[in-house]
Amino acid sequence: MFQATAPGKVILVGEHAVVYGRPAIAAPVWQAVATATVVPGAPGSGCHIIAPDVGLALRLADAGDDEPLAVVTRLALERLGISHEPDWQITLHSDIPIASGMGSGAALSTALVRAVMLGASHAAEPSEVSELVYESERFYHGTPSGIDNTVVAYGMPIWFVKGQPPEPFTPARPILLAIADSGIRSPTKETVGDVRRAWSAEPARFDAIFDEIGRTVLAARRALEAGDAVALGRIMDANQALLQALDVSSPPLEKLIAAAQQAGALGAKLSGGGRGGNIIALVNEESATGVSAALAAAGARRVIVTTIGE
Ligand code: PMV
């Protein structure tokens, strides 16, 4: 039996503008993980992928090219030079909420690729896993920047610019985030598509917003490297205002953000594609419990408090 896990993720700053070549910072969240387990089956039984949480059960040989988990499995087998269908039962589990900006698709694919590679006794490099998962991410996102597969495969905070090698980095001091799920499912493909339409209609206006987001991401990196949580909180608020200008926020997300701020968060913003999904609030040891309670009272389905950069 071979088992591999992959974390969920949050985008700290820079979502959407990252699709247009500006930098972004993302970090793994180990409190929510995807797990893939490979168990050898009887000879001739074929390769089956089962994800009971999402009601998925397929045989690799019969799955179409529109099924991302089958696509990524085939890519991994191809990479390993395995041309016959192995007799494996691959079971996937995840406690990362789907379509909520926490990278559930990337984490499932990453765990799957790692388990397949372990099953074939291949030690996978993060860059190799990331590249294979990117292929499957295209099914979820349309035009993905590659940030999700990269942060999930590296399992470390990263500075990311599309098309460039990621820069894993460690903040000078760990930061504490409260991640609150609005419970509203919002496919990233839709918000990314809406932003693209808006940008096509008014390129100069939207390029200026993307530039401004790029500047906030650089400022966030400086604040993280200086261990300045107060500055980072302000930068997160500024990034949220720019995401509003891109029209990817929503009243339920604004309600959660306001609740976090009133309860003493240093800053708060949506994280990921937006409209629904998660918000992140920068907290500290003193404010974490109060902010989490305020988020729950404001309607959050689930609040995870996580440390980034330990
Ligand atoms: O998967 P999500 O919802 O965290 O979104 C990824 C971030 C976007 O910038 C909105 C899209 C992308 O491909 O980078």
Side-chain angles (χ1 to χ4, degrees):
M1 187 180 102
F2 304 94
Q3 197 165 65
T5 56
K9 70 104 213 333
V10 287
I11 296 184
L12 278 181
V13 277
E15 50 274 269
H16 286 290
V18 71
V19 175
Y20 299 82
R22 276 61 166 192
I25 298 173
V29 176
W30 291 99
Q31 279 90 342
V33 296
T35 307
T37 311
V38 175
V39 178
S45 57
C47 184
H48 296 261
I49 303 173
I50 302 161
D53 309 336
V54 290
L56 178 107
L58 55 85
R59 178 165 175 177
L60 189 59
D62 303 330
D65 279 344
D66 55 350
E67 173 47 66
L69 295 173
V71 170
V72 79
T73 306
R74 287 195 192 109
L75 287 169
L77 292 171
E78 224 169 82
R79 175 64 62 100
L80 293 162
I82 299 176
S83 51
H84 62 275
E85 190 190 358
D87 296 320
W88 284 347
Q89 174 154 316
I90 307 175
T91 307
L92 299 164
H93 283 291
S94 173
D95 52 16
I96 307 167
I98 296 168
S100 68
M102 281 192 73
S104 63
L108 273 176
S109 297
T110 300
L112 182 54
V113 168
R114 285 216 182 103
V116 166
M117 294 206 158
L118 276 174
S121 308
H122 176 82
E125 290 294 326
S127 57
E128 188 179 19
V129 175
S130 176
E131 190 195 312
L132 291 173
V133 173
Y134 179 77
E135 291 302 315
S136 72
E137 278 288 281
R138 295 210 280 195
F139 287 96
Y140 296 95
H141 282 189
T143 53
S145 63
I147 191 168
D148 279 19
N149 50 286
T150 306
V151 66
V152 169
Y154 280 74
M156 286 182 71
I158 54 158
W159 168 269
F160 180 86
V161 179
K162 189 176 163 180
Q164 294 181 14
E167 275 182 53
F169 78 98
T170 313
R173 286 196 203 114
I175 60 164
L176 207 54
L177 287 183
I179 307 170
D181 185 0
S182 66
I184 301 164
R185 300 292 160 246
S186 174
T188 301
K189 209 170 179 167
E190 283 173 20
T191 49
V192 168
D194 288 350
V195 172
R196 183 158 299 273
R197 274 183 287 281
W199 172 75
S200 303
E202 288 179 275
R205 183 160 93 83
F206 280 83
D207 274 329
I209 300 173
F210 298 149
D211 282 342
E212 197 53 40
I213 292 176
R215 282 191 280 275
T216 63
V217 175
L218 188 59
R221 179 171 181 163
R222 296 215 178 98
L224 283 163
E225 285 172 348
D228 189 344
V230 172
L232 181 62
R234 282 201 208 105
I235 292 160
M236 286 168 62
D237 291 341
N239 193 172
Q240 173 61 19
L242 293 161
L243 289 161
Q244 284 167 355
L246 293 181
D247 194 24
V248 293
S249 194
S250 66
L253 295 184
E254 296 296 332
K255 187 178 172 195
L256 292 175
I257 289 166
Q261 282 162 338
Q262 278 154 23
L266 294 169
K269 62 181 278 293
L270 68 86
S271 179
R275 301 259 167 83
N278 283 277
I279 68 109
I280 54 174
L282 184 63
V283 294
N284 52 30
E285 294 293 346
E286 294 75 52
S287 65
T289 310
V291 170
S292 299
L295 285 166
R301 290 284 167 82
R302 179 183 179 191
V303 182
I304 295 173
V305 176
T306 190
T307 306
I308 307 283
E310 259 183 332

